[in-house]
Amino acid sequence: MSQTTVYDKLWDSHLVKQNADGSALIYIDRHILHEVTSPQAFEGLRIAGRKPWRLDTNLATPDHNISTDPTERAAGVAGIPDNTSRIQVQTLDDNCDHFGIKEFKMNEMGQGIVHVMGPELGATMPGLTVVCGDSHTATHGALACLAHGIGTSEVEHVLASQCLVTKKMKNMRVTVDGVLGAGVTPKDVVLAIIAKIGTAGGNGHAIEFAGSVFRDMSIEGRMTVCNMAIEAGARVGLVAVDEKTIDYCRGRKFMPAGESFAKAAEYWRTLVSDADAVFDTEVHMNGSEIAPQVSWGTSPEMVVPVTGNIPRVEDQIDAVKKKGVERALEYMGLEGGAPISSVAVDRVFIGSCTNSRIEDMRAAAAVVEGRTVSDSIKQALVVPGSQMVKEQAEAEGLDRIFIEAGLDWREPGCSMCLAMNADKLGAGEHCASTSNRNFEGRQGNGGRTHLMSPEMAAAAAITGHIVDVREFTGDQS
Amino acid sequence: MKAFTQHSGLVGPMDRANVDTDMIIPKQFLKSIKRSGFGPNLFDELRYMDEGQPGQDCTHRPVNPDFPLNLPRYSGASILLARKNFGCGSSREHAPWALEDYGFRAVIAPSYADIFYNNCFKNGLLPVILSEQQLDVLFAEMYADEGYQLTIDLVEQTVVCPNGERFAFEIDQFRKDCLVNGLDEIGLTLQSAQAIKDYEKTRAAQQPWVFGAIK
Ligand code: SF4
């Protein structure tokens, strides 16, 4: 077949049935579950007297709601101080045990944030459909699979039938050519894309990230980019297969091995868009022009280059936008027109499914090594994305670097990305955060989030304010 | 699932763009393992002056007098007028659960985030799409007229204003059918069990590594 995109190929190969009314039945290869969006789905199964369709496709772990504090974690599920949280984590364990679903329990090797865990264990493979009751499931698309978030009713639907009733999305291609400058990371690229197309720019689309910038990028970097496709409104973000994809897959726990791997790889190599593939929407950007990015407001499209200024209400032409900027400035307690680098931060969060992989840990450690967190910082958290990342980082001595610099080294989980546990901002506090959402209250009631790369967040921890990592020398003035 | 054919009710405003799911139902309420009871915490951070906690009795909490839905004139509203990209952010189905539990049967907005839009249909909540101009008209009429009511007819695919003006809206046929008939979608899918099994057989022959991997 020609003229097809990666997304088209993935769609076609999973089509069970096309219905006359425009909907389609799509087969789901991998289903990842966590404690927050699954209890009502399991309850639904029970009430209807249904069983999971297949067991060898589901993988579960607790991540959203668990403590990252080493002492609390050591006490196990029984040691979770908050009643409702403990019940929720326990309910996941009970449901997985009851239905026979493979789970990596809270303190087990393999546990981690769902979107860190899937790829690193090799549960996510090129060519699969991957779903999870979490909107950042597009992360897995970095391995050229069709991955997207679903709601709890759909979690139940997939458990019961291994299928979803859905409609084909439109194709969008975001091409970023050129070469990234020093200090410019995958996070900056995706923030720049969101700033350009807006938080609804990708609605109804599957985005393929193409161009030299993504070809040159590591698989982990591609995950950071695909992770935030949803912040541009797209449920699906993906990158075509290349040799880096194949190399990444080799040797992982759930991956095929030997002859079977070679056969799989042969198929995976076909997962590229045809030269004459047609996209409904095309966006082009030049990677050489992207500077490190920082969000100033309460939506992931409210982003400026670190060299830029906070927007002013009076410069906005569109009335709805004007209102949005005004409200965001008020919430963030910021003055329009001031340089973004003048903003002081109270807390730093390095973690989340966007930036908690080993490369992120290394990048942040390199910035803080031999330096000390500013006295004005109340807390600087480093939360590895999984038990495997944690183990690897500790083997490389990164934990020592963080601790000696004055940062907290935590246990894996979602932590301050959504602040369902004790890791949260106080009202009015500014946070340099490597997470993906800066909505009002996201990191704690009244908290003020500034999204940025791990390098930039690490530098902010040292200086106590937002700073251009390219000019960062670490001198404390 | 609750069927939706036609609904008439009082209209309330959520007059800002990009209302995200954290705003609709803040994360601390996601710890619940139930599907119901989220209504009192809908728009919690905007609606109350203090920080809400799960399991708390909300009847004595200080309410934010500036939050429009707290005004007596909107009490009992069952149709929500909203702006573009409503429901952006997370996949939490707690968002439609909260809207539904509060008493909303329908939302009218120029656009929605994809996952939220999809989740609404699973819960008998109808997300109607009208143009920005049409919403401007509805917002203006609602602000001008206390007790403003609309009728939404899903079968006819129209929103009917008190003055008789009608706005037609588009909706996918399969979504409409499920909602109009209150169908159990899982039961419907399982009617295709044989097709699913056939698919698995073919696929397992071509790509054996996909199956049996997780154990
Ligand atoms: S780290 Fe944040 S965005 Fe990622 S899965 Fe957890 S809560 Fe969701």
Side-chain angles (χ1 to χ4, degrees), chain A residues 184-341:
Chain A
V184 182
T185 72
K187 181 65 160 286
D188 302 307
V189 174
V190 72
L191 286 173
I193 293 170
I194 298 163
K196 182 177 165 95
I197 70 174
T199 52
N203 277 4
H205 287 82
I207 300 181
E208 177 174 344
F209 297 100
S212 59
V213 161
F214 303 111
R215 293 270 74 87
D216 294 345
M217 206 176 266
S218 72
I219 297 294
E220 293 194 1
R222 294 176 190 176
M223 287 183 201
T224 299
V225 173
C226 291
N227 174 274
M228 291 192 70
I230 188 71
E231 309 316 331
R235 291 175 80 180
V236 168
L238 51 83
V239 179
V241 167
D242 61 9
E243 286 312 302
K244 283 186 191 167
T245 321
I246 312 278
D247 289 342
Y248 178 91
C249 292
R250 197 173 282 117
R252 293 189 184 266
K253 185 176 169 72
F254 294 123
M255 283 283 175
E259 191 122 332
S260 177
F261 184 86
K263 221 179 140 218
E266 196 185 316
Y267 167 66
W268 295 341
R269 289 193 180 93
T270 66
L271 297 171
V272 293
S273 291
D274 298 326
D276 54 356
V278 183
F279 290 84
D280 301 284
T281 313
E282 294 255 22
V283 176
H284 291 273
M285 288 171 68
N286 183 350
S288 326
E289 290 168 3
I290 299 175
Q293 307 281 309
V294 182
S295 75
W296 60 267
T298 54
S299 157
E301 68 187 20
M302 293 174 165
V303 163
V304 287
V306 65
T307 49
N309 294 337
I310 299 164
R312 300 187 315 170
V313 178
E314 54 270 36
D315 295 341
Q316 311 304 315
I317 306 154
D318 180 79
V320 177
K321 223 168 174 183
K322 204 175 203 137
K323 223 163 134 186
V325 169
E326 194 170 3
R327 185 149 29 207
L329 286 176
E330 193 194 321
Y331 179 84
M332 295 296 288
L334 294 174
E335 217 34 74
I340 187 74
S341 59

Side-chain angles (χ1 to χ4, degrees), chain A residues 34 63-64 113-115 134-136 139 227 231 349 351-354 356 413-419 435-437 442, chain B residues 90:
Chain A
H34 61 86
D63 59 354
H64 280 63
I113 303 173
V114 276
H115 313 310
D134 184 281
S135 61
H136 291 95
T139 313
N227 174 274
E231 309 316 331
F349 172 59
S352 91
C353 57
T354 315
S356 65
C414 295
S415 181
M416 207 189 271
C417 172
L418 92 163
S435 56
N436 42 53
R437 287 200 172 127
R442 170 77 178 183
Chain B
S90 86

Side-chain angles (χ1 to χ4, degrees), chain A residues 22 25 33 54 79 95 136 159 260 262 284 291 299 327 364 454 471:
Chain A
L25 207 55
L33 300 113
R54 250 178 80 194
N95 281 326
H136 291 95
L159 279 170
S260 177
H284 291 273
S299 157
R327 185 149 29 207
E471 286 162 12

Side-chain angles (χ1 to χ4, degrees), chain A residues 13-17 21 23 25 27 29-30 36 39-40 50 53-54 56 58-59 65 82 84-85 87-88 91 102 123 125 127-128 133-135 149-154 156-157 160-161 163 165 167 199-200 203-204 230 233 235 254 256 260 263-264 267-268 301 320 323 327 418-420 424 437 439-445, chain B residues 15-18 20-23 27-35 38 44-46 50-54 84-85 88-94 97 111-115 118-119 122-123 132 172-175 177 184-190 192-197 199-200 203 205-215:
Chain A
S13 63
H14 290 87
L15 188 65
V16 174
K17 212 174 136 199
D21 60 11
S23 69
L25 207 55
Y27 193 78
D29 297 316
R30 203 63 85 230
V36 174
Q40 297 87 351
R50 293 181 175 128
W53 178 272
R54 250 178 80 194
D56 60 353
N58 298 294
L59 187 61
N65 200 359
D82 181 69
T84 43
S85 299
I87 291 169
Q88 199 172 54
T91 302
K102 173 81 184 165
M125 301 173 189
L128 299 189
D134 184 281
S135 61
I150 55 177
T152 298
S153 293
E154 289 179 319
E156 185 182 341
H157 200 122
S161 70
C163 287
V165 180
K167 224 180 97 178
T199 52
N203 277 4
I230 188 71
R235 291 175 80 180
F254 294 123
S260 177
K263 221 179 140 218
Y267 167 66
W268 295 341
E301 68 187 20
V320 177
K323 223 163 134 186
R327 185 149 29 207
L418 92 163
M420 269 185 85
K424 54 174 106 168
R437 287 200 172 127
F439 298 154
E440 288 184 18
R442 170 77 178 183
Q443 294 193 290
N445 203 303
Chain B
D15 197 354
R16 59 202 272 183
N18 298 313
D20 59 70
T21 53
D22 283 77
M23 225 179 266
K27 65 244 154 196
Q28 62 267 38
F29 305 107
L30 273 49
K31 295 177 187 176
S32 167
I33 58 168
K34 299 207 196 81
R35 231 174 229 272
F38 296 102
D44 199 275
E45 283 179 19
L46 301 169
D50 62 346
E51 187 176 346
Q53 293 307 327
K84 74 170 185 12
N85 204 25
C88 62
S90 86
S91 66
R92 62 187 69 158
E93 203 158 310
H94 312 68
W97 293 340
S111 63
Y112 300 87
D114 291 348
I115 304 182
N118 203 25
N119 282 340
K122 318 282 178 192
N123 296 284
E132 306 221 10
D172 287 328
Q173 189 60 38
F174 73 97
R175 289 188 159 126
D177 287 347
D184 163 24
E185 277 194 41
I186 297 177
L188 218 57
T189 294
L190 289 174
S192 302
Q194 195 52 49
I196 301 171
K197 285 181 188 152
Y199 171 87
E200 285 178 323
R203 186 89 188 291
Q206 294 165 344
Q207 299 176 19
W209 60 86
V210 174
F211 295 82
I214 312 281
K215 42 182 178 269

